[in-house]
Amino acid sequence: MPSRRSLSGDPAAPRPAATLAPGEVEVIQGDPATGMLLLCDHASNAIPPELDALGLPPAQLERHIAYDIGAAEMTRAMARALGAPAVLSNFSRLLIDPNRGLDDPTLVMRLSDGAIVPGNRHIDADGIALRVARYYEPYDAAIGLAIEAALAAGYPPAIIALHSFTPFWKGVARPWHVGVLWDYEGRLARPLIAALQQEGDLVVGDNEPYHGGLPGDTIDRHVTRRGLADALIEVRQDLIAGDATARDWGVRLARIVAPCVSALAAA
C-alpha cells in the first residue's frame, strides 16, 4: 500500500486536507513500475491562519473557487488501488494556483466566480513572490522529483492529473459525468475516453468542460517538455462531494486507467 509523507520526508498519518499545514506537499509513495504518476493540483482549501482566510467567510472556502471538491480523496483512493505514486497540493488555489504559469494573470485571483478575494485584492509583486516560494515552488519541485525518480528507475510515467468541475456554470447545467482534457497527440487521453465511454453509464467529455493545453500549466511544465503521455481527468463535483463517493470514483478510475496505460507501454 502506498505511504504518505510530507515533502520533508517525515511520516504523517492521513488527515483531512484542510487541516494540513499550508505549504506542505502531500506525497504518496508508490511503485514506479505501475508506469503512472497521479497529480492533484487543487487538492486543498487550506489557508494559513495569519492570512485570516484571505478575508473570506467560511462558506466561500467550501466552494470550488478554493479547491477541487472531492479530487483529493479520489486521488488518494486511486493511488491506493493502483499502488501508484501521487503528488497533491496542500494549499488553496486562492493563495496561488499551481496549475498556472508564473506569468499567467490568474495565478493569484482577485475575483473568482463572483467572489472578491480581499486578501488578494491589493497583493503586489513581492507578495506574489513570497507565495511562489512558500507554496508554488515546493509543489512544483515535488512533481519534478517524482518524475525524475520514475525515469531513473526505468519507468517513464504516464501523468494522470485529477480535477473536478462544477455541475453548473453560469446557470447552465453541465451534462458530463467525467471529462478528459488533452493536447497534442492524445496517445493516452484518446483510448481513455473510449474506455470511459464503454462503461455505458457515463456522459464523457472530450476536451469538455474545458480544453486541454494551457500554456505554463502543470502538464505543460512537467510533461510536454519530457515527451511523456498524459491525461487530465475532470469529474463532476456532485458525484464525488462525499468521501465515500470520491473513493468509489478513485477505485473506478484506477480500473479503467490501468489497462490504457499498460497498452500504451506495450505499444
Side-chain angles (χ1 to χ4, degrees):
M1 179 180 294
S3 62
R4 188 173 288 113
R5 64 171 177 85
S6 71
L7 187 61
S8 66
D10 296 330
R15 294 167 289 174
T19 67
L20 289 167
E24 201 176 48
V25 178
E26 183 177 353
V27 178
I28 299 175
Q29 299 290 350
D31 185 355
T34 60
M36 283 175 268
L37 173 64
L38 311 183
L39 305 179
C40 189
D41 294 326
H42 303 140
S44 175
N45 60 356
I47 295 172
E50 64 267 23
L51 291 184
D52 193 26
L54 297 176
L56 293 167
Q60 293 286 20
L61 297 183
E62 296 302 321
R63 295 181 59 210
H64 71 97
I65 64 172
Y67 72 125
D68 277 357
I69 294 165
E73 194 63 24
M74 180 173 68
T75 302
R76 296 182 188 115
M78 190 173 176
R80 286 193 296 268
L82 292 166
V87 181
L88 298 83
S89 71
N90 203 27
F91 52 89
S92 175
R93 66 193 302 176
L94 290 174
L95 285 172
I96 193 164
D97 193 331
N99 194 37
R100 296 292 184 270
L102 290 174
D103 60 350
D104 192 305
T106 65
L107 181 68
V108 175
M109 295 290 284
R110 293 164 172 81
L111 176 68
S112 184
D113 193 17
I116 294 172
V117 186
N120 292 346
R121 195 170 186 181
H122 302 296
I123 192 168
D124 59 13
D126 288 342
I128 292 174
L130 286 172
R131 294 191 192 177
V132 169
R134 184 174 178 185
Y135 306 105
Y136 187 104
E137 288 181 346
Y139 177 67
D140 205 56
I143 295 172
L145 287 171
I147 293 174
E148 292 305 319
L151 291 173
Y155 298 102
I159 307 300
I160 313 295
L162 295 157
H163 291 251
S164 67
F165 64 94
T166 58
F168 293 86
W169 184 248
K170 298 188 183 300
V172 178
R174 289 165 151 174
W176 311 282
H177 299 103
V178 58
V180 179
L181 312 189
W182 60 282
D183 198 9
Y184 301 109
E185 83 286 356
R187 55 192 159 115
L188 174 58
R190 288 184 294 178
L192 178 55
I193 290 168
L196 287 163
Q197 291 170 334
Q198 288 170 8
E199 291 287 289
D201 63 338
L202 298 176
V203 178
V204 181
D206 180 347
N207 270 330
E208 296 287 359
Y210 312 106
H211 192 281
L214 178 65
D217 69 2
T218 305
I219 297 295
D220 188 40
R221 295 195 309 271
H222 290 284
V223 181
T224 304
R225 69 181 182 86
R226 289 182 170 97
L228 301 173
D230 70 273
L232 191 155
I233 300 175
E234 293 263 5
V235 178
R236 207 173 67 203
Q237 287 171 358
D238 58 312
L239 303 177
I240 56 173
D243 284 351
T245 53
R247 287 191 290 267
D248 287 345
W249 262 91
V251 172
R252 184 178 192 179
L253 288 174
R255 171 178 59 79
I256 297 167
V257 167
C260 296
V261 173
S262 295
L264 192 66

